[in-house]
Amino acid sequence: MSEELHDHDRGLSFDLPTLQRRKMIRLLAGVGLVPLVGCSSDDSDSSASSSSGSASSSASASSGSAECETIPGETAGPYPGDGSNGVNVLKESGVVRRDITSSFGTAGGKAEGVPLTVTLTVVDAASGCDTPKEGAAVYLWHCDREGNYSLYSEGVTEENYLRGVQETDAKGQVTFTSIFPGCYTGRWPHIHFEVYGSLEDATNATSITATSQLALPKDVCDTVYATDGYDRSVQNMGQLSLETDNIFSDGYDQQLATTKGSVEKGYTATLTVPV
């Protein structure tokens, strides 16, 4: 995809209905609790620091308060690989796995980059985020360090790396071993995921419970993109911010991952996902 303008999220006309629904839900949730004038500013200023990411969201989730909200719904973009836009990797043998750095099946490629371990904790929003969703499933995918998506982007259409499915454990958690994604033109660094009611639903690509995106913090992105192989990301990142991204600009407090680690030892990114 190199120099072309990416349309990973199909532009404003595709995303506007999703963004409008999110804003309406938050508006209705705030009636009687806070003045309407404060609704929009809460979303854009809610993240205290990029390295601590979703600490406030995690804290509210563990407290079981009435303020627990479902994860914001987002577009899956045009490269989901779930059958909604061409190829369906979910029905292929081998897609259920923890390590998604390499392709599986007949493909043999491997994504290079700074190591990243992603852990999502799926919880029940209706119970105040106190109850883990054991036995659910998560399909996770993202671009490589060049900003390319396997199965779709030129040069990697025969690969299926950086895609995988896992079943949540007793803690509602899934953990994927991956690499830090690059930053491509027009989008803040992010990771896509879909939550399903069960592993069977996921591998049959049916009954999606939630579709959303995880945002990565700026300070960590800047550090990673200063390393070899992420050259394009430096320029692309310099033209973006979370506040102007067409997905996260209406609020990212529930989607900004808590990210820790180092280039030498790799990073961990964690996020609580209420559904």
Side-chain angles (χ1 to χ4, degrees), residues 4-5 9 51 70 93 106 119 163 193 212 217 222 227 248-249 258 270-271 273 275:
E4 69 179 71
L5 180 62
D9 296 285
S51 58
T70 56
S93 176
T106 58
T119 297
R163 299 176 184 272
F193 61 90
S212 194
D222 287 340
T227 64
F248 301 123
S249 59
T258 300
T270 60
L271 187 72
V273 182
V275 296

Side-chain angles (χ1 to χ4, degrees), residues 94-117:
V95 72
V96 180
R97 60 199 185 132
R98 176 189 175 104
D99 190 336
I100 61 174
T101 54
S102 299
S103 292
F104 61 91
T106 58
K110 182 176 181 179
E112 301 294 336
V114 173
L116 176 67
T117 300

Side-chain angles (χ1 to χ4, degrees), residues 23 26-31 34-44 250:
K23 290 179 179 178
R26 290 176 180 175
L27 179 62
L28 292 175
V31 173
V34 294
L36 293 181
V37 68
C39 291
S40 61
S41 61
D42 288 346
D43 286 341
S44 60
D250 66 338

Side-chain angles (χ1 to χ4, degrees), residues 247-266:
I247 294 297
F248 301 123
S249 59
D250 66 338
Y252 50 85
D253 54 316
Q254 283 187 274
Q255 296 162 275
L256 186 62
T258 300
T259 308
K260 301 177 180 179
S262 65
V263 168
E264 294 75 21
K265 296 182 178 180

Side-chain angles (χ1 to χ4, degrees), residues 44-104:
S44 60
D45 300 328
S46 55
S47 176
S49 70
S50 55
S51 58
S52 60
S54 61
S56 60
S57 296
S58 299
S60 63
S62 62
S63 68
S65 70
E67 296 179 357
C68 173
E69 298 180 4
T70 56
I71 193 75
E74 306 290 6
T75 173
Y79 309 120
D82 61 0
S84 62
N85 186 25
V87 65
N88 190 344
V89 74
L90 295 179
K91 295 186 177 182
E92 295 185 13
S93 176
V95 72
V96 180
R97 60 199 185 132
R98 176 189 175 104
D99 190 336
I100 61 174
T101 54
S102 299
S103 292
F104 61 91

